[in-house]
Amino acid sequence: LQTSNPKVFAAGDVLGRPFLASTGIAQGVAAVDFMFTENEPFQCNPEDKSCIESNLGTTGANFDPTSLASNPFSFPVGIWSSPEASYFGLSAQQAKENGIDVGEGIALYSECLRGVMFSPNGLLKLVFDKSDNAIIGVHIVGDDACELIHYGMELVRSRCTLQNVTSQMYTAVTFHELYRIAAAAGLDEAAARKRRAAAGKALTALNRRKRFTSW
């Protein structure tokens, strides 16, 4: 991360958010790589509105410590709250501000077998470019969200489409099945609303039974 002084590089907490060890290490590696190699700086395709240049070692004279934190493609963000929350890539609002026609596919934790059995409260959302159904953002709230986001990050970086995800097989009783459910929801929103409504009613009934049996 080259500063306005070409002989001075920075990495870690001195740059500000998100103050994570993993991010600081990645920044340090990128800075050293930029110092001692002749790699060409990453450049977006001008026609790809969903691409934001995120090479961590090429800020140069235009160095801005806040640029990394504000770039949704710099790193996955995880919040170890209860429930956990995580995201990578663009939100629907950010995509619209960049002139992208977007859609969203949502999967409730109560729609997958693992959620039904162990943790039904939560959701996973895929933000996709309607022009080609490429996934450009992943947002998760629920158990293991900070683990699940890394698979979502690879989907975004590899420009996987909703069809790519729905064609894959995901092992039963894992939260990764949520990705397939969310992708299918993006492809058929009307059917997805019905499934979510049914899952919501079932969850409400389950919670009601639990309250009665606890009295």
Side-chain angles (χ1 to χ4, degrees), residues 45-106:
N45 180 342
E47 298 181 358
D48 184 0
K49 295 180 180 179
S50 67
C51 181
I52 297 178
E53 295 182 11
S54 59
N55 186 294
L56 295 181
T58 58
T59 48
N62 296 319
F63 175 69
D64 176 8
T66 64
S67 63
L68 292 173
S70 61
N71 186 339
F73 298 109
S74 291
F75 44 78
V77 175
I79 303 171
W80 284 266
S81 52
S82 181
E84 294 179 15
S86 61
Y87 62 89
F88 181 82
L90 297 174
S91 66
Q93 180 178 343
Q94 288 172 317
K96 291 174 182 177
E97 290 172 352
N98 279 278
I100 305 171
D101 184 18
V102 295
E104 297 178 318
I106 297 173

Side-chain angles (χ1 to χ4, degrees), residues 86 104-111 121-127 135 137-145 148-149 151-152 155 165 175-183 185 196:
S86 61
E104 297 178 318
I106 297 173
L108 303 179
Y109 272 45
S110 56
E111 291 182 88
N121 296 309
L123 65 83
L124 181 149
K125 179 170 66 176
L126 300 178
V127 179
I135 298 168
V138 180
H139 307 263
I140 312 171
V141 177
D143 277 7
D144 295 336
L148 291 167
I149 196 60
Y151 177 66
L155 294 180
V165 177
F175 283 133
H176 280 80
E177 188 182 7
L178 291 165
Y179 282 99
R180 182 187 58 77
I181 297 170
R196 288 198 297 271

